[in-house]
Coordinates of all heavy atoms in Angstrom, one line a residue:
R1 N 135.5 153.4 239.7 CA 134.6 154.4 240.4 C 133.2 154.2 239.9 O 132.2 154.6 240.6 CB 135.1 155.8 240.1 CG 136.4 156.1 240.6 CD 136.4 156.4 242.2 NE 137.8 156.7 242.7 CZ 138.1 156.9 243.9 NH1 137.1 157.0 244.8 NH2 139.3 157.2 244.3
I2 N 132.9 153.7 238.7 CA 131.7 153.6 238.2 C 131.2 152.2 238.3 O 130.2 151.7 237.6 CB 131.4 154.0 236.7 CG1 132.5 153.3 235.8 CG2 131.7 155.6 236.6 CD1 132.2 153.6 234.3
D3 N 131.9 151.4 239.2 CA 131.6 149.9 239.5 C 131.6 149.1 238.3 O 130.8 148.1 238.2 CB 130.2 149.9 240.2 CG 130.0 148.7 241.1 OD1 131.1 148.1 241.4 OD2 129.0 148.2 241.2
K4 N 132.5 149.3 237.4 CA 132.8 148.4 236.3 C 134.2 147.7 236.5 O 134.9 148.0 237.4 CB 132.8 149.1 234.9 CG 131.4 149.7 234.6 CD 130.2 148.7 234.3 CE 129.1 149.5 234.0 NZ 127.9 148.5 233.7
L5 N 134.3 146.6 235.6 CA 135.6 145.9 235.7 C 136.5 146.3 234.6 O 136.3 146.0 233.4 CB 135.2 144.4 235.6 CG 134.3 143.8 236.6 CD1 134.0 142.3 236.2 CD2 135.0 143.8 237.9
P6 N 137.7 147.0 234.9 CA 138.7 147.3 233.9 C 139.5 146.1 233.4 O 140.0 145.4 234.2 CB 139.4 148.4 234.6 CG 139.4 148.1 236.1 CD 138.1 147.4 236.3
L7 N 139.6 146.1 232.1 CA 140.5 144.9 231.5 C 141.6 145.7 230.7 O 141.2 146.3 229.6 CB 139.7 144.0 230.7 CG 140.6 143.0 229.9 CD1 141.3 142.0 230.8 CD2 139.8 142.3 228.8
P8 N 142.9 145.7 231.1 CA 143.8 146.4 230.3 C 144.1 145.5 228.9 O 144.3 144.4 229.0 CB 145.1 146.3 231.2 CG 144.6 146.0 232.6 CD 143.3 145.1 232.4
V9 N 144.0 146.2 227.8 CA 144.3 145.7 226.5 C 145.2 146.6 225.8 O 145.1 147.7 226.0 CB 142.9 145.3 225.7 CG1 142.1 144.3 226.5 CG2 142.2 146.6 225.5
K10 N 145.8 145.9 224.8 CA 146.7 146.7 223.9 C 145.9 147.0 222.5 O 145.0 146.4 222.2 CB 147.9 145.8 223.4 CG 148.9 146.5 222.6 CD 150.1 145.6 222.3 CE 149.7 144.6 221.2 NZ 150.9 143.8 220.7
S11 N 146.2 148.2 222.1 CA 145.4 148.7 220.9 C 145.8 147.7 219.7 O 146.9 147.5 219.4 CB 146.0 150.1 220.5 OG 145.4 150.5 219.3
A12 N 144.7 147.1 219.2 CA 144.8 146.1 218.1 C 143.4 146.0 217.6 O 142.4 146.3 218.3 CB 145.3 144.8 218.6
P13 N 143.2 145.5 216.3 CA 141.9 145.4 215.8 C 141.0 144.6 216.6 O 141.2 143.4 216.9 CB 142.1 144.7 214.4 CG 143.6 145.0 214.1 CD 144.3 145.2 215.3
G14 N 139.8 145.2 217.1 CA 138.8 144.5 217.9 C 139.3 144.5 219.4 O 138.5 143.9 220.2
F15 N 140.4 144.9 219.8 CA 140.9 144.7 221.1 C 140.7 143.2 221.5 O 141.3 142.4 220.8 CB 140.3 145.7 222.1 CG 140.2 147.1 221.6 CD1 139.1 147.8 221.7 CD2 141.4 147.7 221.0 CE1 139.0 149.2 221.2 CE2 141.3 149.0 220.5 CZ 140.2 149.7 220.6
L16 N 140.2 142.9 222.6 CA 139.9 141.5 222.9 C 138.5 141.1 222.6 O 138.3 140.1 221.8 CB 140.2 141.2 224.3 CG 139.9 139.8 224.9 CD1 140.7 138.8 224.3 CD2 139.8 139.7 226.3
V17 N 137.5 141.7 223.1 CA 136.2 141.1 223.1 C 135.7 141.1 221.6 O 135.2 140.0 221.1 CB 135.3 142.0 223.9 CG1 133.8 141.6 223.7 CG2 135.6 141.8 225.4
N18 N 135.8 142.2 220.9 CA 135.4 142.2 219.5 C 136.1 141.2 218.6 O 135.7 140.6 217.7 CB 135.3 143.6 218.9 CG 134.2 144.4 219.4 OD1 133.2 143.8 220.1 ND2 134.2 145.6 219.3
A19 N 137.4 141.0 218.9 CA 138.3 140.2 218.3 C 137.9 138.8 218.4 O 138.2 137.9 217.4 CB 139.8 140.4 218.6
V20 N 137.4 138.4 219.5 CA 136.9 136.9 219.7 C 135.5 136.7 219.2 O 135.2 135.7 218.7 CB 137.1 136.5 221.1 CG1 138.5 136.6 221.6 CG2 136.2 137.1 222.0
L21 N 134.7 137.8 219.3 CA 133.4 137.7 218.9 C 133.2 137.6 217.3 O 132.3 136.9 216.8 CB 132.5 138.8 219.4 CG 131.9 138.7 220.7 CD1 131.1 139.9 221.1 CD2 131.0 137.5 221.0
G22 N 134.0 138.4 216.6 CA 134.0 138.3 215.2 C 134.0 136.9 214.6 O 133.2 136.5 213.9
P23 N 135.2 136.1 214.8 CA 135.3 134.8 214.3 C 134.1 133.8 214.7 O 133.7 133.0 214.0 CB 136.6 134.4 214.8 CG 137.4 135.6 215.1 CD 136.3 136.6 215.6
Y24 N 133.7 134.0 215.9 CA 132.6 133.2 216.5 C 131.3 133.5 215.8 O 130.6 132.5 215.3 CB 132.4 133.7 218.0 CG 131.2 133.1 218.7 CD1 131.0 131.8 219.0 CD2 130.2 134.1 219.0 CE1 129.8 131.4 219.7 CE2 129.1 133.6 219.8 CZ 128.9 132.3 220.1 OH 127.7 131.9 220.8
M25 N 130.9 134.7 215.6 CA 129.7 135.0 214.9 C 129.9 134.6 213.3 O 128.9 134.1 212.7 CB 129.4 136.5 214.9 CG 129.0 136.9 216.4 SD 128.2 138.5 216.5 CE 129.7 139.5 216.1
L26 N 131.1 134.8 212.8 CA 131.3 134.4 211.4 C 131.1 132.9 211.2 O 130.4 132.5 210.3 CB 132.7 134.9 210.9 CG 133.1 134.4 209.6 CD1 132.2 134.9 208.4 CD2 134.6 134.6 209.3
E27 N 131.6 132.1 212.1 CA 131.4 130.7 211.9 C 130.0 130.2 212.1 O 129.6 129.3 211.3 CB 132.3 130.0 213.0 CG 132.4 128.5 212.8 CD 133.2 128.1 211.4 OE1 134.0 128.9 211.0 OE2 132.8 127.0 210.9
A28 N 129.3 130.9 212.9 CA 127.9 130.7 213.0 C 127.1 131.0 211.8 O 126.2 130.2 211.3 CB 127.2 131.5 214.2
L29 N 127.4 132.1 211.1 CA 126.8 132.5 210.0 C 127.2 131.6 208.8 O 126.4 131.4 207.8 CB 127.0 134.0 209.6 CG 126.6 135.0 210.6 CD1 126.9 136.4 210.0 CD2 125.1 134.8 210.9
R30 N 128.5 131.2 208.8 CA 128.8 130.0 207.8 C 128.1 128.8 207.8 O 127.7 128.2 206.8 CB 130.3 129.7 208.0 CG 131.2 130.8 207.4 CD 132.7 130.4 207.7 NE 133.7 131.3 207.2 CZ 134.9 131.6 207.5 NH1 135.3 130.9 208.6 NH2 135.6 132.4 206.9
C31 N 127.7 128.4 209.1 CA 126.8 127.2 209.4 C 125.4 127.5 208.7 O 124.8 126.5 208.0 CB 126.7 126.9 210.7 SG 128.2 126.2 211.5
V32 N 124.9 128.7 208.8 CA 123.6 129.0 208.3 C 123.8 129.0 206.7 O 122.8 128.5 206.1 CB 123.2 130.4 208.8 CG1 121.9 130.8 208.1 CG2 122.9 130.3 210.3
E33 N 124.8 129.5 206.2 CA 125.1 129.5 204.8 C 125.1 128.1 204.3 O 124.7 127.9 203.0 CB 126.5 130.2 204.5 CG 126.6 130.8 203.1 CD 126.0 132.2 203.0 OE1 125.4 132.7 204.0 OE2 126.3 132.9 202.0
E34 N 125.6 127.2 205.1 CA 125.6 125.7 204.7 C 124.3 125.0 204.7 O 124.2 123.8 204.4 CB 126.7 125.0 205.4 CG 128.1 125.5 205.2 CD 129.2 125.0 206.2 OE1 128.7 124.1 207.0 OE2 130.2 125.4 206.2
G35 N 123.3 125.6 205.3 CA 122.0 125.2 205.4 C 121.4 124.7 206.7 O 120.3 124.3 206.9
V36 N 122.2 125.0 207.7 CA 121.8 124.7 209.1 C 120.8 125.9 209.5 O 121.1 127.1 209.3 CB 123.1 124.8 210.1 CG1 122.5 124.5 211.5 CG2 124.0 123.6 209.7
A37 N 119.8 125.6 210.1 CA 118.7 126.6 210.5 C 119.3 127.6 211.5 O 120.0 127.1 212.4 CB 117.4 126.0 211.0
P38 N 119.0 128.8 211.5 CA 119.5 129.7 212.4 C 119.1 129.2 213.8 O 119.8 129.4 214.9 CB 118.9 131.1 212.1 CG 118.7 131.0 210.6 CD 118.3 129.5 210.4
E39 N 117.8 128.7 213.9 CA 117.3 128.3 215.2 C 118.2 127.1 215.8 O 118.4 127.0 216.9 CB 115.8 127.8 215.0 CG 114.8 128.9 214.8 CD 114.7 129.2 213.3 OE1 115.5 128.8 212.6 OE2 113.6 129.9 212.9
T40 N 118.6 126.3 214.8 CA 119.5 125.1 215.3 C 120.8 125.6 215.8 O 121.4 125.2 216.8 CB 119.6 124.1 214.1 OG1 118.4 123.7 213.7 CG2 120.5 122.9 214.5
V41 N 121.4 126.5 215.1 CA 122.7 127.1 215.5 C 122.5 127.8 216.9 O 123.4 127.5 217.8 CB 123.2 128.1 214.5 CG1 124.4 128.9 215.0 CG2 123.5 127.4 213.1
D42 N 121.5 128.6 217.0 CA 121.3 129.3 218.4 C 121.1 128.4 219.4 O 121.6 128.4 220.6 CB 120.3 130.3 218.2 CG 120.7 131.6 217.6 OD1 121.8 131.7 217.3 OD2 119.8 132.4 217.3
A43 N 120.3 127.3 219.2 CA 119.9 126.3 220.2 C 121.2 125.5 220.6 O 121.4 125.3 221.9 CB 118.8 125.3 219.6

């Protein structure tokens, strides 16, 4: 009714979207920790 897209998910840590974004962002920050420039990671 509010013109959004409903995605049925089960109650679990992070549901779907946050559950996949967390490891993704973590791996990016690990690359920065290893000396890769943030700009290079984002590019």
Side-chain angles (χ1 to χ4, degrees):
R1 296 280 178 181
I2 58 173
D3 199 27
K4 297 292 184 182
L5 301 173
L7 175 70
V9 297
K10 188 178 74 173
S11 179
F15 311 136
L16 171 70
V17 172
N18 286 344
V20 303
L21 274 180
Y24 166 73
M25 293 191 292
L26 173 63
E27 192 63 28
L29 298 187
R30 281 176 174 155
C31 291
V32 174
E33 204 87 349
E34 294 168 10
V36 182
E39 291 88 346
T40 303
V41 170
D42 282 350

